[in-house]
């Protein structure tokens, strides 16, 4: 039997609740598909930090490198100053494990209430390839004369030829493999950010020459937010930098029905990748059994796909579609008509009962 070693970081807030449901579904699917997921839990997160003062202990990163994948719940604690856990855990994992792609599918499933008038599942089905190790997230810059009237704060966007090119290449390859509209759109701001996005644009059109079968397009990020609402059907695959990718994927999550269903993968094609619901720790819903576990479940599906277990991944998606199509009243926390664990039970049941070919 094919066995995969998976590190699990349930993390903070509702992370542990949704990861529990994700594991339930992954277990159901694994036994159907003849594979085994060997889970090892790590307690990294806000509670551990408050207890020990440590975000990631020494050696943690190297230990995580030894896994086939990482399954993450959420990082962020109301009693910890913003930035400490995000930078100390989530971003550090992304950077040090060189997960240079943040892959975020935006797909409206049948039965899901879309806030956009007259948009159907066939209109909303695209993927954002977000650069995940550079840009404004790189931490370059600094502050002078802090707290004085002469304070200076500088936060620079770092864009390397190598970093931009590997992201764009990944996007072209992904677009070709996805084989849907075979259209890749670069999202930037070439009219203002004339250094950074000049580099992105040149690399984009250079690399495009190697992919004559992929149609290319460009949109400024501000216009992009407009098209997401007006004409989401235009998009197949979008590639963009770290900050713009962060922003447009929250909008993407909303048009696919909300944070309750939005999943993402932090991908290192040559190393260990990490899969997570993109919604965060939702402290106000913690421990109430009301938050939607579908995003975590879908992240588990992405993990299976990335492990090369296509059938198992499709089974997760089919089971999720049964549940959104036939059961849930809404995807919003507390409004699903079911509790967190009941939604997990439903998906796991379909994953057990649906045919696998
Ligand atoms: C995300 C989150 C993170 C980000 C935060 C928590 C650091 O918003 O995964 O989109 O900005 O990347
Ligand atoms: Mn975000």
């Amino acid at each position: 039997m094919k066995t995969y070693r998976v590190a699990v970081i349930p993390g903070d807030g509702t992370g542990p609740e949704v990861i529990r449901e994700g594991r339930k579904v992954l277990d159901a699917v694994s036994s159907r598909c003849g594979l085994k997921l060997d889970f090892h839990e790590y307690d990294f997160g806000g509670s551990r930090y408050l207890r020990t003062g440590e975000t990631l202990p020494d050696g943690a990163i190297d230990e995580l490198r030894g896994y086939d994948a990482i399954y993450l719940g959420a990082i962020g604690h109301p009693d910890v100053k913003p930035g400490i856990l995000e930078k100390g855990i989530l971003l550090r994992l992304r950077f040090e494990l060189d997960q240079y792609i943040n892959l975020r599918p935006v797909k409206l499933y049948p039965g899901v209430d879309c806030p956009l008038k007259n948009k159907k599942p066939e209109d909303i089905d695209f993927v954002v390839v977000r650069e995940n190790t550079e840009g404004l997230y790189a931490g370059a810059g600094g502050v002078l004369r802090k707290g004085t009237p002469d304070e200076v704060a500088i936060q620079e966007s770092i864009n390397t030829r190598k970093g931009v090119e590997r992201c764009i290449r990944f996007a072209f390859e992904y677009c070709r493999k996805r084989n849907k509209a075979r259209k890749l759109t670069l999202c930037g701001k070439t009219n203002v950010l004339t250094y950074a996005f000049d580099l992105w644009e040149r690399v984009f059109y250079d690399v495009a020459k190697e992919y004559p079968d992929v149609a290319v397009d460009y949109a400024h990020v501000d216009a992009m937010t407009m098209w997401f609402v007006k004409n989401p059907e235009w998009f197949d695959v979008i590639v963009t930098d770290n900050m713009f990718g962060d922003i447009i994927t929250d909008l993407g999550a909303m048009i696919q029905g909300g944070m309750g269903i939005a999943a993402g993968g932090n991908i290192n094609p040559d190393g260990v990748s990490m899969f997570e619901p993109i919604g965060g720790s939702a402290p106000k819903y913690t421990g109430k059994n009301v938050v939607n576990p579908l995003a975590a479940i879908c992240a588990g599906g992405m993990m299976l796909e990335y492990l090369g277990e296509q059938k198992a991944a499709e089974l997760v998606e089919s089971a999720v579609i049964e549940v959104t199509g036939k059961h849930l009243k809404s995807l919003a926390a507390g409004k699903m008509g079911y509790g967190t664990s009941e939604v997990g039970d439903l998906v796991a049941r379909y994953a057990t009962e649906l045919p696998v070919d």
Side-chain angles (χ1 to χ4, degrees):
M1 198 184 321
K2 189 109 208 224
T3 302
Y4 299 98
R5 294 182 67 241
V6 177
V8 183
I9 308 175
D12 300 318
T14 50
E17 296 167 57
V18 297
I19 287 296
R20 193 177 310 128
E21 302 316 310
R23 284 185 57 169
K24 197 187 270 178
V25 172
L26 287 169
D27 285 338
V29 165
S30 305
S31 56
R32 285 298 297 290
C33 300
L35 55 110
K36 191 170 177 299
L37 297 175
D38 193 1
F39 294 109
H40 295 260
E41 285 217 7
Y42 289 85
D43 67 350
F44 309 146
S47 318
R48 184 192 169 116
Y49 172 75
L50 290 169
R51 217 171 53 238
T52 66
E54 202 170 50
T55 47
L56 285 177
D58 286 346
I61 301 264
D62 281 330
E63 200 172 313
L64 290 172
R65 269 186 236 285
Y67 284 90
D68 294 306
I70 304 169
Y71 191 37
L72 175 88
I75 297 294
H77 194 289
D79 302 336
V80 182
K81 193 174 145 221
I84 293 179
L85 302 172
E86 292 84 345
K87 282 186 163 178
I89 302 178
L90 183 61
L91 298 181
R92 200 166 151 217
L93 290 172
R94 289 176 182 170
F95 292 175
E96 292 200 31
L97 297 172
D98 205 20
Q99 294 162 341
Y100 62 87
I101 298 298
N102 198 325
L103 197 63
R104 297 189 162 182
V106 177
K107 189 167 179 180
L108 179 66
Y109 286 130
V112 172
D113 203 21
C114 177
L116 306 180
K117 202 166 81 184
N118 302 329
K119 296 297 177 190
K120 308 260 166 320
E122 59 270 25
D123 299 317
I124 301 180
D125 182 6
F126 60 86
V127 178
V128 177
V129 176
R130 164 186 175 189
E131 200 291 320
N132 210 30
T133 54
E134 303 194 333
L136 282 165
Y137 280 68
V143 63
L144 295 172
R145 301 189 281 272
K146 188 168 178 169
T148 75
D150 299 318
E151 180 162 347
V152 182
I154 298 169
Q155 195 103 39
E156 287 160 317
S157 176
I158 305 299
N159 298 264
T160 66
R161 167 82 203 198
K162 181 181 148 201
V164 170
E165 183 169 338
R166 67 182 182 174
C167 175
I168 285 175
R169 269 187 195 286
F170 181 96
F172 273 105
E173 283 293 327
Y174 184 85
C175 188
R176 179 182 270 174
K177 264 234 243 37
R178 172 173 153 95
N179 201 17
K180 211 183 152 237
R182 288 208 180 200
K183 178 181 167 191
L184 179 64
T185 306
L186 172 65
C187 166
K189 189 73 186 173
T190 53
N191 54 347
V192 176
L193 305 180
T194 51
Y195 310 127
F197 280 98
D198 178 60
L199 173 61
W200 277 82
E201 195 178 35
R202 277 183 287 117
V203 175
F204 184 68
Y205 288 108
D206 264 4
V207 175
K209 292 181 199 138
E210 296 168 42
Y211 297 84
D213 52 319
V214 175
V216 285
D217 199 4
Y218 171 82
H220 293 319
V221 63
D222 49 347
M224 194 65 131
T225 62
M226 178 172 77
W227 304 130
F228 269 25
V229 173
K230 197 167 170 287
N231 299 100
E233 66 280 2
W234 285 354
F235 301 109
D236 177 20
V237 180
I238 295 165
V239 63
T240 191
D241 84 345
N242 209 340
M243 187 80 259
F244 292 166
D246 177 46
I247 297 167
I248 66 172
T249 55
D250 267 25
L251 180 56
M254 286 302 123
I255 67 171
Q256 72 179 127
M259 283 301 177
I261 190 118
N266 301 275
I267 311 289
N268 175 345
D270 312 304
V272 61
S273 298
M274 176 168 78
F275 300 84
E276 55 173 340
I278 78 171
S281 59
K284 71 175 172 184
Y285 297 128
T286 301
K288 298 202 164 83
N289 197 41
V290 295
V291 81
N292 190 340
L294 289 181
I297 291 169
C298 291
M302 288 183 78
M303 178 168 81
L304 290 171
E305 187 180 344
Y306 226 79
L307 290 171
E309 298 293 340
Q310 193 56 35
K311 283 222 170 80
E314 279 165 21
L315 186 56
V316 173
E317 186 171 47
S318 306
V320 166
I321 289 173
E322 293 292 322
V323 173
T324 60
K326 296 185 178 151
H327 296 276
L328 300 194
K329 289 207 294 249
S330 157
L331 296 187
K335 298 186 180 142
M336 299 186 287
Y338 297 86
T340 306
S341 56
E342 286 71 41
V343 175
D345 289 343
L346 277 171
V347 181
R349 198 187 85 206
Y350 282 107
T352 309
E353 290 171 0
L354 284 174
V356 266
D357 40 61

